[in-house]
Amino acid sequence: SVPADASNPESVVVSVLNVSAVLGSQAVLPCKSHRMVWTQDRLNDRQRVVHWDVHSSYYGDNKMERLCDMYSAGDQRVYSSYNRGRILMPDNAFVEGNFSLVIKGVAESDEGTYSCNLHHHYCHLYETEKIQLIITKKGEDVREYWDGEKPVLVALEGSTVTLPCVNRNHIWTERHSEEEQQVVHWDRQPPGVPHDRADRLIDLYASGERRSYGPLFVRQKMNVTGSAFALGDFSLRISQLESADEGTYSCHLHHHYCGLHERRIYRVFVTEPAREKKVVNLTTPNIAPATNLFSFPLPSDPNVVRGHNVINVIIPESRMHFFQQLGYILATLLLFIVLLIIVVLVTRKRRQRGYEYNVKKYGEKDVNLKEFTVDTTDLTPHKSEDIRLDYKNNILKEKAEQARSFPAKNIDLDKGNNDFLP
């Protein structure tokens, strides 16, 4: 594919339109501009013209008067016989871009607001400049100034005055080959593709040249009318719409001669066709047993001839979808209930067991204190006193407590040994 033209990134976006069409139908993307209509110059370049007008209230009628005009390929024309020979424009105005008006021997009747009007009929351009002329009889009052809206020129009566009007834009001073500088092209951006990577679809030139890009089936289904430049209608027609035709389309209008650079954007969406409702025709030739199906009374005369009655039954298509959604909801609810039951059972089991601690002693026997007799004769009474000591550790503390509870007994080790001595 050919990439989009990035030579005119400053194109002005004049419109953005969303187009929605049904799958398989034809879509028309409207792109029209009267400024792009190409009319070959058969009038010797009489498409550029300048004319001077004056708005004067000297005679009390406050009227607008056409003074003179000139075409780019013709002579200038002065409308009033009084002004012939005393007002004029340069003969090379459309070459130099100087459209100033010269007035010889100005009089009080020349006072007023003058307008220099430039018209380019081919490019549909219209420009106007206004100048106010005031006549004075004193030389010291001659001057030029700006009143906030237009220039004001104060001239001495009987002198020669030049009212300036200069525009050197190339469209007023040069003749170009318009058909070579007038081009229209269409681009397409698939979803997610930026504008600078869009695909070129069609190029159209005012000279009659046409270029189409892309596969053959794309060129066959996308086209612009052959009389586009004659009508100013560059609308793109897309036949047999498909889902792949969705995207953003751009119509670029470039008129290099007239300085026209416009872009129109279209976002195309392809929708599914509306499904027709299913209609079941039930023909009931014998309606006698089915009288209870109708809300209106049926004639009971058997001699009356009755035609066939047709009952239209509309079958909704969204019933299965409803049951499917309902099944999803019920399954989710059931799963939640099962999880809740499991959590409750586990919690109850843990509460029943509680916290159990088993202390087991290996290699030791249980001692029954009842089997031992304690001799208390050797125990000497003592006075229990609260002794406050600071101990470094628990072992020293335990030893001290034992000493307080059970005082040490004096044992004579030599007493038993003396019996065995000779």
Side-chain angles (χ1 to χ4, degrees), residues 284-294 298-302 306-307 309:
T284 57
N286 186 11
I287 62 173
T291 55
N292 58 344
L293 297 178
F294 301 92
L298 297 177
S300 59
D301 190 358
R306 295 184 296 269
N309 295 320

PDB file of all heavy atoms in Angstrom, residues 284-294 298-302 306-307 309:
ATOM      1  N   THR A 284     -56.547 -21.883  10.189  1.00  0.00           N
ATOM      2  CA  THR A 284     -57.553 -22.698  10.893  1.00  0.00           C
ATOM      3  C   THR A 284     -58.833 -22.713  10.077  1.00  0.00           C
ATOM      4  O   THR A 284     -59.684 -21.828  10.209  1.00  0.00           O
ATOM      5  CB  THR A 284     -57.823 -22.106  12.285  1.00  0.00           C
ATOM      6  OG1 THR A 284     -58.242 -20.752  12.118  1.00  0.00           O
ATOM      7  CG2 THR A 284     -56.563 -22.126  13.138  1.00  0.00           C
ATOM      8  N   PRO A 285     -58.965 -23.692   9.166  1.00  0.00           N
ATOM      9  CA  PRO A 285     -60.191 -23.742   8.365  1.00  0.00           C
ATOM     10  C   PRO A 285     -61.427 -24.023   9.201  1.00  0.00           C
ATOM     11  O   PRO A 285     -62.502 -23.566   8.906  1.00  0.00           O
ATOM     12  CB  PRO A 285     -59.906 -24.866   7.372  1.00  0.00           C
ATOM     13  CG  PRO A 285     -58.856 -25.700   8.028  1.00  0.00           C
ATOM     14  CD  PRO A 285     -58.025 -24.787   8.855  1.00  0.00           C
ATOM     15  N   ASN A 286     -61.308 -24.833  10.267  1.00  0.00           N
ATOM     16  CA  ASN A 286     -62.446 -25.152  11.119  1.00  0.00           C
ATOM     17  C   ASN A 286     -62.228 -24.472  12.463  1.00  0.00           C
ATOM     18  O   ASN A 286     -61.423 -24.921  13.273  1.00  0.00           O
ATOM     19  CB  ASN A 286     -62.561 -26.675  11.284  1.00  0.00           C
ATOM     20  CG  ASN A 286     -63.820 -27.052  12.052  1.00  0.00           C
ATOM     21  OD1 ASN A 286     -64.684 -26.203  12.264  1.00  0.00           O
ATOM     22  ND2 ASN A 286     -63.912 -28.315  12.442  1.00  0.00           N
ATOM     23  N   ILE A 287     -62.894 -23.404  12.696  1.00  0.00           N
ATOM     24  CA  ILE A 287     -62.651 -22.601  13.890  1.00  0.00           C
ATOM     25  C   ILE A 287     -63.652 -22.889  14.998  1.00  0.00           C
ATOM     26  O   ILE A 287     -63.622 -22.263  16.038  1.00  0.00           O
ATOM     27  CB  ILE A 287     -62.728 -21.107  13.542  1.00  0.00           C
ATOM     28  CG1 ILE A 287     -64.112 -20.768  13.034  1.00  0.00           C
ATOM     29  CG2 ILE A 287     -61.656 -20.731  12.551  1.00  0.00           C
ATOM     30  CD1 ILE A 287     -64.315 -19.294  12.820  1.00  0.00           C
ATOM     31  N   ALA A 288     -64.543 -23.841  14.770  1.00  0.00           N
ATOM     32  CA  ALA A 288     -65.568 -24.097  15.773  1.00  0.00           C
ATOM     33  C   ALA A 288     -64.969 -24.547  17.093  1.00  0.00           C
ATOM     34  O   ALA A 288     -65.315 -24.014  18.145  1.00  0.00           O
ATOM     35  CB  ALA A 288     -66.582 -25.122  15.245  1.00  0.00           C
ATOM     36  N   PRO A 289     -64.041 -25.532  17.133  1.00  0.00           N
ATOM     37  CA  PRO A 289     -63.537 -25.974  18.436  1.00  0.00           C
ATOM     38  C   PRO A 289     -62.551 -25.003  19.065  1.00  0.00           C
ATOM     39  O   PRO A 289     -62.162 -25.204  20.202  1.00  0.00           O
ATOM     40  CB  PRO A 289     -62.855 -27.298  18.105  1.00  0.00           C
ATOM     41  CG  PRO A 289     -62.449 -27.164  16.676  1.00  0.00           C
ATOM     42  CD  PRO A 289     -63.513 -26.352  16.031  1.00  0.00           C
ATOM     43  N   ALA A 290     -62.101 -23.988  18.362  1.00  0.00           N
ATOM     44  CA  ALA A 290     -61.076 -23.080  18.903  1.00  0.00           C
ATOM     45  C   ALA A 290     -61.658 -21.716  19.220  1.00  0.00           C
ATOM     46  O   ALA A 290     -60.957 -20.726  19.200  1.00  0.00           O
ATOM     47  CB  ALA A 290     -59.927 -22.939  17.901  1.00  0.00           C
ATOM     48  N   THR A 291     -62.969 -21.688  19.492  1.00  0.00           N
ATOM     49  CA  THR A 291     -63.594 -20.393  19.755  1.00  0.00           C
ATOM     50  C   THR A 291     -63.087 -19.767  21.053  1.00  0.00           C
ATOM     51  O   THR A 291     -63.156 -18.560  21.221  1.00  0.00           O
ATOM     52  CB  THR A 291     -65.113 -20.550  19.808  1.00  0.00           C
ATOM     53  OG1 THR A 291     -65.432 -21.558  20.779  1.00  0.00           O
ATOM     54  CG2 THR A 291     -65.669 -20.936  18.450  1.00  0.00           C
ATOM     55  N   ASN A 292     -62.606 -20.593  21.966  1.00  0.00           N
ATOM     56  CA  ASN A 292     -62.144 -20.036  23.237  1.00  0.00           C
ATOM     57  C   ASN A 292     -60.792 -19.356  23.125  1.00  0.00           C
ATOM     58  O   ASN A 292     -60.307 -18.804  24.091  1.00  0.00           O
ATOM     59  CB  ASN A 292     -62.088 -21.132  24.297  1.00  0.00           C
ATOM     60  CG  ASN A 292     -61.167 -22.278  23.865  1.00  0.00           C
ATOM     61  OD1 ASN A 292     -60.831 -22.380  22.690  1.00  0.00           O
ATOM     62  ND2 ASN A 292     -60.790 -23.123  24.817  1.00  0.00           N
ATOM     63  N   LEU A 293     -60.131 -19.412  21.951  1.00  0.00           N
ATOM     64  CA  LEU A 293     -58.836 -18.779  21.783  1.00  0.00           C
ATOM     65  C   LEU A 293     -58.960 -17.314  21.421  1.00  0.00           C
ATOM     66  O   LEU A 293     -57.965 -16.587  21.453  1.00  0.00           O
ATOM     67  CB  LEU A 293     -58.022 -19.495  20.698  1.00  0.00           C
ATOM     68  CG  LEU A 293     -57.657 -20.961  20.985  1.00  0.00           C
ATOM     69  CD1 LEU A 293     -56.910 -21.529  19.799  1.00  0.00           C
ATOM     70  CD2 LEU A 293     -56.847 -21.066  22.261  1.00  0.00           C
ATOM     71  N   PHE A 294     -60.184 -16.898  21.080  1.00  0.00           N
ATOM     72  CA  PHE A 294     -60.356 -15.523  20.606  1.00  0.00           C
ATOM     73  C   PHE A 294     -61.131 -14.728  21.630  1.00  0.00           C
ATOM     74  O   PHE A 294     -62.052 -15.225  22.272  1.00  0.00           O
ATOM     75  CB  PHE A 294     -61.100 -15.509  19.250  1.00  0.00           C
ATOM     76  CG  PHE A 294     -60.378 -16.294  18.177  1.00  0.00           C
ATOM     77  CD1 PHE A 294     -60.668 -17.626  17.977  1.00  0.00           C
ATOM     78  CD2 PHE A 294     -59.420 -15.684  17.397  1.00  0.00           C
ATOM     79  CE1 PHE A 294     -60.011 -18.350  16.994  1.00  0.00           C
ATOM     80  CE2 PHE A 294     -58.773 -16.390  16.417  1.00  0.00           C
ATOM     81  CZ  PHE A 294     -59.063 -17.741  16.214  1.00  0.00           C
ATOM     82  N   LEU A 298     -67.557 -15.091  18.032  1.00  0.00           N
ATOM     83  CA  LEU A 298     -67.629 -15.624  16.685  1.00  0.00           C
ATOM     84  C   LEU A 298     -69.079 -15.908  16.333  1.00  0.00           C
ATOM     85  O   LEU A 298     -69.878 -16.291  17.200  1.00  0.00           O
ATOM     86  CB  LEU A 298     -66.817 -16.919  16.583  1.00  0.00           C
ATOM     87  CG  LEU A 298     -65.302 -16.762  16.836  1.00  0.00           C
ATOM     88  CD1 LEU A 298     -64.631 -18.124  16.778  1.00  0.00           C
ATOM     89  CD2 LEU A 298     -64.686 -15.822  15.830  1.00  0.00           C
ATOM     90  N   PRO A 299     -69.433 -15.739  15.108  1.00  0.00           N
ATOM     91  CA  PRO A 299     -70.831 -16.011  14.724  1.00  0.00           C
ATOM     92  C   PRO A 299     -71.151 -17.487  14.876  1.00  0.00           C
ATOM     93  O   PRO A 299     -70.335 -18.344  14.540  1.00  0.00           O
ATOM     94  CB  PRO A 299     -70.887 -15.548  13.262  1.00  0.00           C
ATOM     95  CG  PRO A 299     -69.473 -15.574  12.807  1.00  0.00           C
ATOM     96  CD  PRO A 299     -68.631 -15.266  13.973  1.00  0.00           C
ATOM     97  N   SER A 300     -72.353 -17.750  15.386  1.00  0.00           N
ATOM     98  CA  SER A 300     -72.767 -19.146  15.634  1.00  0.00           C
ATOM     99  C   SER A 300     -73.612 -19.716  14.517  1.00  0.00           C
ATOM    100  O   SER A 300     -73.950 -20.896  14.546  1.00  0.00           O
ATOM    101  CB  SER A 300     -73.548 -19.227  16.962  1.00  0.00           C
ATOM    102  OG  SER A 300     -74.685 -18.372  16.890  1.00  0.00           O
ATOM    103  N   ASP A 301     -73.976 -18.913  13.529  1.00  0.00           N
ATOM    104  CA  ASP A 301     -74.801 -19.408  12.436  1.00  0.00           C
ATOM    105  C   ASP A 301     -73.965 -20.282  11.525  1.00  0.00           C
ATOM    106  O   ASP A 301     -72.982 -19.823  10.933  1.00  0.00           O
ATOM    107  CB  ASP A 301     -75.389 -18.232  11.666  1.00  0.00           C
ATOM    108  CG  ASP A 301     -76.451 -18.686  10.673  1.00  0.00           C
ATOM    109  OD1 ASP A 301     -76.666 -19.918  10.580  1.00  0.00           O
ATOM    110  OD2 ASP A 301     -77.039 -17.809  10.021  1.00  0.00           O
ATOM    111  N   PRO A 302     -74.311 -21.575  11.360  1.00  0.00           N
ATOM    112  CA  PRO A 302     -73.491 -22.448  10.503  1.00  0.00           C
ATOM    113  C   PRO A 302     -73.631 -22.126   9.034  1.00  0.00           C
ATOM    114  O   PRO A 302     -72.813 -22.562   8.230  1.00  0.00           O
ATOM    115  CB  PRO A 302     -74.028 -23.851  10.820  1.00  0.00           C
ATOM    116  CG  PRO A 302     -75.427 -23.608  11.296  1.00  0.00           C
ATOM    117  CD  PRO A 302     -75.417 -22.287  12.003  1.00  0.00           C
ATOM    118  N   ARG A 306     -67.434 -18.410   6.490  1.00  0.00           N
ATOM    119  CA  ARG A 306     -66.316 -17.711   7.104  1.00  0.00           C
ATOM    120  C   ARG A 306     -65.029 -18.070   6.373  1.00  0.00           C
ATOM    121  O   ARG A 306     -64.811 -19.226   6.013  1.00  0.00           O
ATOM    122  CB  ARG A 306     -66.192 -18.090   8.581  1.00  0.00           C
ATOM    123  CG  ARG A 306     -67.369 -17.632   9.418  1.00  0.00           C
ATOM    124  CD  ARG A 306     -67.142 -17.951  10.883  1.00  0.00           C
ATOM    125  NE  ARG A 306     -67.067 -19.387  11.118  1.00  0.00           N
ATOM    126  CZ  ARG A 306     -68.112 -20.137  11.425  1.00  0.00           C
ATOM    127  NH1 ARG A 306     -69.314 -19.594  11.507  1.00  0.00           N
ATOM    128  NH2 ARG A 306     -67.964 -21.417  11.634  1.00  0.00           N
ATOM    129  N   GLY A 307     -64.197 -17.081   6.195  1.00  0.00           N
ATOM    130  CA  GLY A 307     -62.903 -17.323   5.557  1.00  0.00           C
ATOM    131  C   GLY A 307     -61.887 -17.850   6.556  1.00  0.00           C
ATOM    132  O   GLY A 307     -62.169 -18.031   7.743  1.00  0.00           O
ATOM    133  N   ASN A 309     -58.914 -17.789   9.024  1.00  0.00           N
ATOM    134  CA  ASN A 309     -58.328 -16.827   9.953  1.00  0.00           C
ATOM    135  C   ASN A 309     -56.840 -17.129  10.126  1.00  0.00           C
ATOM    136  O   ASN A 309     -56.449 -18.297  10.269  1.00  0.00           O
ATOM    137  CB  ASN A 309     -59.017 -16.895  11.321  1.00  0.00           C
ATOM    138  CG  ASN A 309     -60.474 -16.456  11.237  1.00  0.00           C
ATOM    139  OD1 ASN A 309     -60.766 -15.498  10.525  1.00  0.00           O
ATOM    140  ND2 ASN A 309     -61.352 -17.166  11.939  1.00  0.00           N
TER     141      ASN A 309
END
